[in-house]
Amino acid sequence: MAALPTTLNNAQMEAVRHLHGPCLVLAGAGSGKTRVIVHKIEQLLHSGLEAKQIAAITFTNKAAAEMRERAKALVGGRAARDLAISTFHSLGVRLLRSDGQAAGLKPQFSILDSDDVLGVLRDAGGTTDAAVAKRWQWAISGWKNQGLNADGAAAVADDADARVAAAVMLRYQERLQAYQAVDFDDLILLPLRLLQQQPELRAKWQAQFGHVLVDEYQDTNAVQYELLKMLVGERGRFTAVGDDDQSIYGWRGATLDNLKRLPQDFPQLKVIALEQNYRSTGHILRAANAVIANNPKIFEKKLWSEFGDGEPVRVLHCDGEEHEAERMVSRIQALRSEDGNNTLSSFAILYRANHQARVFEQKLRAAQIPYKVSGGQSFFDRAEIKDLCAWLRLLVNPDDDPAFLRAVTTPKRGIGHQTLLALGEFAAKWKVSLFEALFSPSLAMSLKGKAVEGLQQFGREINDLQQRAKHTSGAEPARELLLGWLKDIRYEAHLFDGEDSEKLAAARWTNVLDFIDWMAKRCGGQTEQDSGSTFEVERQTVLQVAQTISVIISLAERGDDQDVVTLSTLHAAKGLEWPHVMLVGVNEGLLPFKSGSEDASEMTPERLEEERRLMYVGITRARQTLLVSTLRRRKKGRDTVQGVPSRFVKEMKLDEAVDKGDPRERLKKLRDAMAARAGASTPIA
């Protein structure tokens, strides 16, 4: 066993040294959980495990990249490269690419994004109403996250709408099978079913991984927990790292039952609490502890810090939303004037709901303070990037009908709606994909010669590009291939012809070039991360990069390191920290959040507890100062209603909690008072 650094505290050392049995690390906010994970990886390597036998599972690509970088610094580049560090969904892709044939999938199946799923659902349900399809999507996702198939969903459907959604789910799954496609939830559910139903595969993957580490364990849903159990087996060689006080994703299937089940399913479970906080001052932590103490506890834990008390947490009562926004801008300006080390990126304004950002954006723009809104449109959600990804998906899986429909019409090539409708009817009749139908000798009987010629030309282009992509690797060859492809399909001209604004078209083309550069770097054996650092990956062909692109896109998180104020929802702020945090709109109805039709008395204890955990997450984002603001009057739809401070403000148990006024006004009054006092003491001549 390697010597552990003395900078690890006793609880961290205990967690790192526990190698051969199930371990739950209760990692409080700011307690150094990633440090524990990477040092445990180092200890597992020294205990005799090969790097490829260690799996570390996170929830985002960004978190996985950060973990790999930190592991690389600790254990070296070669070992870090072989570690199985990935998201749950990427691990699911790996398992399905290897053994998905047992579930009826070809190795080059497609992964549908949210837009594609809605398109398939509209077709399966016979509707053009996007809102209805979206409701079906949510319902089906919820059922899959509970491990249910269409029959299981029909059995639990308790009203007419749910029964319709369950019927649509059956037809939806039939279409996915025909398209050789899966949705994002299938990336967890299908591997679970394979491991449950195929003892040989289960034994293979349990032998593959000698130890599994799961970060942010409190965010797992029921299916992810079952998948973990299948991967670790009765040996239970795993480390789950999480915090029950930061479980804030119940609305998307995460369940605290997974924490409750661990001691039951693994009686030898070792539970270790990390309570020393390395982020926040004493006043901030006491407020956080006081709030979360009102929730029932699964495991006891109380944060503490060696940073001293610091500045008291302050509460500011504002007249309304505009007044609140003005005060936050004033606070940023005042704190920057007082301390030149406070960059704009030192500040975050956090709120419960997206709509609260608008007035803060207005006031920051008026003050010429740059900002970014966390959770804005992803680079990969841009139409031009989706266009190119449709082509790439089709290279990987020619049976991907949603990708076919987008690629064949972008850029336009004279193939109209009626042609595609006839092609679809032909493909359905002969039970083949749209792409496969292109080269059927009998297609000419259903379509005019010119239409058939145009479709088959598109098919030849795809086949040619697929062959070249299969044999092209390295950054520069990949870049040359991809740029040549864009030139061949005249995509730049397509962008400029389709936009009235030349400036907007140029911006979209720049996005395309950035995307090509991103792909080329992956083909060359490295990928650039948001922080500007890089980590090595295996040199890949263009086709291999295209095979994983759907998962990369679905989990993509792009940002920048510019000096700007952050505006963010509390959900999006989880895992982040700032020296100065302003937690705004802390009113009943906003935090805890209640929908327009929901009465306070109707909020379930579980809902209230999750909202309280959200408040706790907001408080613990702050390192040096925390300001909590409430509204005396707030907008509710088109009406203005009396504002009631959130119950969570009282639960913080603050002394001298109320902010006495605008810091700039206080400074001016202090100067005026000093000037007046100096004048009064001047002797009269």
Side-chain angles (χ1 to χ4, degrees):
M1 183 175 294
L4 290 173
T6 56
T7 51
L8 291 176
N9 64 40
N10 290 337
Q12 290 173 331
M13 286 186 180
E14 185 180 9
V16 167
R17 285 176 173 147
H18 190 79
L19 302 179
H20 301 297
C23 181
L24 172 62
V25 180
L26 294 170
S31 62
K33 65 182 178 65
T34 305
R35 181 176 175 79
V36 166
I37 291 172
V38 296
H39 278 286
K40 188 154 192 174
I41 288 172
E42 180 190 34
Q43 292 297 303
L44 288 166
L45 290 171
H46 284 286
S47 74
L49 287 182
E50 295 181 46
K52 65 182 181 181
Q53 294 179 286
I54 301 172
I57 305 174
T58 71
F59 276 82
T60 66
N61 283 324
K62 187 174 182 179
E66 179 188 354
M67 190 176 294
R68 187 178 295 276
E69 279 293 291
R70 294 180 66 169
K72 179 180 177 181
L74 194 62
V75 304
R78 171 175 285 184
R81 187 166 52 249
D82 292 337
L83 293 169
I85 298 177
S86 71
T87 63
F88 264 107
H89 295 88
S90 295
L91 179 63
V93 172
R94 176 180 172 183
L95 196 150
L96 290 177
R97 296 283 185 212
S98 172
D99 298 307
Q101 296 94 326
L105 289 174
K106 299 176 183 177
Q108 294 184 354
F109 60 85
S110 295
I111 303 166
L112 303 187
D113 67 14
S114 181
D115 286 348
D116 293 325
V117 167
L118 286 174
V120 178
L121 282 172
R122 285 196 292 266
D123 177 52
T127 183
T128 58
D129 190 327
V132 171
K134 191 72 175 177
R135 288 198 295 272
W136 291 338
Q137 184 180 24
W138 273 98
I140 292 170
S141 178
W143 285 324
K144 288 188 177 185
N145 284 330
Q146 296 173 50
L148 300 176
N149 58 17
D151 291 337
V156 301
D158 55 5
D159 60 37
D161 289 341
R163 286 188 285 274
V164 170
V168 171
M169 183 179 181
L170 179 61
R171 298 193 291 273
Y172 168 69
Q173 288 303 130
E174 289 172 348
R175 281 163 171 76
L176 292 191
Q177 186 69 36
Y179 297 162
Q180 281 291 296
V182 299
D183 62 27
F184 214 46
D185 298 311
D186 288 330
L187 296 179
I188 310 297
L189 183 57
L190 292 181
L192 170 61
R193 287 178 179 163
L194 282 177
L195 297 184
Q196 288 174 329
Q197 298 167 7
Q198 305 278 343
E200 315 83 30
L201 290 182
R202 185 165 65 247
K204 167 189 169 181
W205 286 93
Q206 287 179 0
Q208 169 66 45
F209 297 130
H211 200 97
V212 179
L213 302 102
V214 182
D215 191 16
E216 302 288 6
Y217 176 76
Q218 77 282 347
D219 294 337
T220 56
N221 59 36
V223 176
Q224 288 164 337
Y225 177 65
E226 291 299 327
L227 180 60
L228 173 65
K229 284 177 62 179
M230 289 295 101
L231 288 173
V232 302
E234 294 181 359
R235 296 177 307 165
R237 292 186 177 177
F238 69 86
T239 302
V241 182
D243 182 5
D244 51 334
D245 292 333
Q246 295 188 75
S247 178
I248 59 174
Y249 294 114
W251 51 276
R252 69 182 189 194
T255 173
L256 282 175
D257 287 343
N258 290 352
L259 276 165
K260 298 174 184 176
R261 290 175 59 185
L262 275 180
Q264 301 166 10
D265 293 342
F266 299 94
Q268 303 304 313
L269 181 72
K270 178 78 170 179
V271 181
I272 302 167
L274 305 183
E275 298 175 294
Q276 183 173 357
N277 175 282
Y278 294 93
R279 174 187 300 159
S280 307
T281 61
H283 277 303
I284 293 169
L285 294 182
R286 282 195 289 275
N289 288 331
V291 167
I292 207 64
N294 292 277
N295 273 2
K297 289 287 186 181
I298 300 176
F299 302 99
E300 285 297 326
K301 180 177 79 282
K302 193 172 184 179
L303 297 179
W304 59 276
S305 165
E306 293 182 340
F307 290 157
D309 284 345
E311 289 287 323
V313 176
R314 301 190 180 280
V315 176
L316 175 62
H317 300 301
C318 302
D319 293 336
E321 286 88 351
E322 290 209 3
H323 182 227
E324 180 181 49
E326 290 168 355
R327 294 297 298 277
M328 297 308 115
V329 170
S330 295
R331 179 173 176 80
I332 292 169
Q333 292 170 328
L335 287 177
R336 292 194 74 207
S337 296
E338 293 170 11
D339 185 350
N341 292 322
N342 284 326
T343 61
L344 291 175
S345 57
S346 301
F347 298 91
I349 299 174
L350 308 182
Y351 38 81
R352 175 63 177 84
N354 276 309
H355 73 267
Q356 293 173 263
R358 183 184 59 82
V359 67
F360 294 100
E361 289 190 71
Q362 291 173 346
K363 298 302 179 184
L364 287 166
R365 285 198 300 267
Q368 297 185 332
I369 296 177
Y371 65 90
K372 66 178 178 181
V373 180
S374 182
Q377 185 188 39
S378 164
F379 177 83
F380 292 98
D381 286 335
R382 300 177 190 276
E384 58 271 22
I385 306 304
K386 283 182 173 286
D387 289 343
L388 304 188
C389 288
W391 281 74
L392 295 172
R393 282 168 42 197
L394 203 55
L395 301 187
V396 172
N397 176 16
D399 294 333
D400 187 338
D401 283 357
F404 176 93
L405 291 171
R406 184 161 192 151
V408 79
T409 55
T410 312
K412 296 187 183 302
R413 55 176 63 236
I415 297 174
H417 174 72
Q418 291 301 320
T419 297
L420 293 174
L421 182 62
L423 178 66
E425 291 172 350
F426 179 88
K429 177 181 177 180
W430 295 102
K431 295 182 170 55
V432 295
S433 69
L434 295 173
F435 188 85
E436 189 176 352
L438 298 185
F439 301 102
S440 171
S442 56
L443 180 61
M445 298 175 63
S446 300
L447 287 170
K448 295 179 181 179
K450 187 176 180 180
V452 173
E453 182 182 340
L455 288 168
Q456 290 182 342
Q457 175 60 32
F458 171 74
R460 286 190 291 270
E461 290 176 18
I462 291 294
N463 285 336
D464 176 63
L465 183 59
Q466 182 190 58
Q467 287 302 310
R468 289 187 289 150
K470 187 184 297 184
H471 300 291
T472 301
S473 63
E476 287 310 312
R479 185 177 286 106
E480 183 178 349
L481 169 65
L482 294 168
L483 289 174
W485 158 53
L486 294 179
K487 183 177 180 181
D488 290 343
I489 66 173
R490 301 187 70 252
Y491 193 78
E492 183 178 10
H494 160 75
L495 290 181
F496 279 86
D497 291 345
E499 290 287 354
D500 293 332
S501 167
E502 188 170 317
K503 183 177 180 181
L504 181 56
R508 294 182 65 190
W509 178 244
T510 299
N511 291 334
V512 169
L513 296 179
D514 286 346
F515 178 70
I516 297 302
D517 187 58
W518 176 80
M519 281 199 69
K521 285 180 178 178
R522 294 190 69 84
C523 292
Q526 68 175 27
T527 182
E528 187 171 351
Q529 297 303 311
D530 291 343
S531 63
S533 60
T534 59
F535 66 87
E536 296 178 3
V537 296
E538 184 181 351
R539 185 181 173 102
Q540 296 176 300
T541 67
V542 172
L543 190 62
Q544 286 173 322
V545 172
Q547 284 178 335
T548 59
I549 203 164
S550 292
V551 162
I552 293 169
I553 290 169
S554 297
L555 292 172
E557 295 170 334
R558 295 177 63 90
D560 54 51
D561 296 322
Q562 294 179 339
D563 185 24
V564 296
V565 173
T566 298
L567 302 180
S568 175
T569 63
L570 289 167
H571 283 100
K574 185 171 175 291
L576 303 176
E577 61 183 74
W578 295 269
H580 307 288
V581 168
M582 289 151 275
L583 186 49
V584 299
V586 187
N587 280 67
E588 290 293 315
L590 289 173
L591 185 62
F593 183 81
K594 294 187 288 289
S595 65
S597 60
E598 185 179 31
D599 186 80
S601 60
E602 296 174 345
M603 183 174 286
T604 64
E606 293 78 16
R607 270 281 319 279
L608 180 59
E609 288 163 15
E610 181 157 321
E611 292 291 305
R612 185 175 285 114
R613 292 193 292 269
L614 203 53
M615 178 73 175
Y616 174 86
V617 165
I619 294 172
T620 54
R621 298 312 93 197
R623 288 162 50 190
Q624 298 173 20
T625 72
L626 173 66
L627 176 66
V628 176
S629 65
T630 71
L631 303 169
R632 295 188 181 95
R633 292 181 298 276
R634 71 180 185 89
K635 292 179 181 177
K636 189 176 182 182
R638 296 185 177 182
D639 300 324
T640 298
V641 299
Q642 182 177 354
V644 178
S646 169
R647 69 197 76 186
F648 301 149
V649 175
K650 185 176 181 180
E651 289 177 0
M652 286 193 293
K653 296 182 178 179
L654 303 177
D655 295 324
E656 299 181 3
V658 179
D659 192 301
K660 302 302 182 182
D662 187 318
R664 292 183 302 176
E665 294 174 2
R666 296 201 309 274
L667 185 59
K668 183 177 182 299
K669 288 178 181 178
L670 178 61
R671 287 172 176 165
D672 291 345
M674 291 176 64
R677 192 177 302 116
S681 62
T682 301
I684 299 175

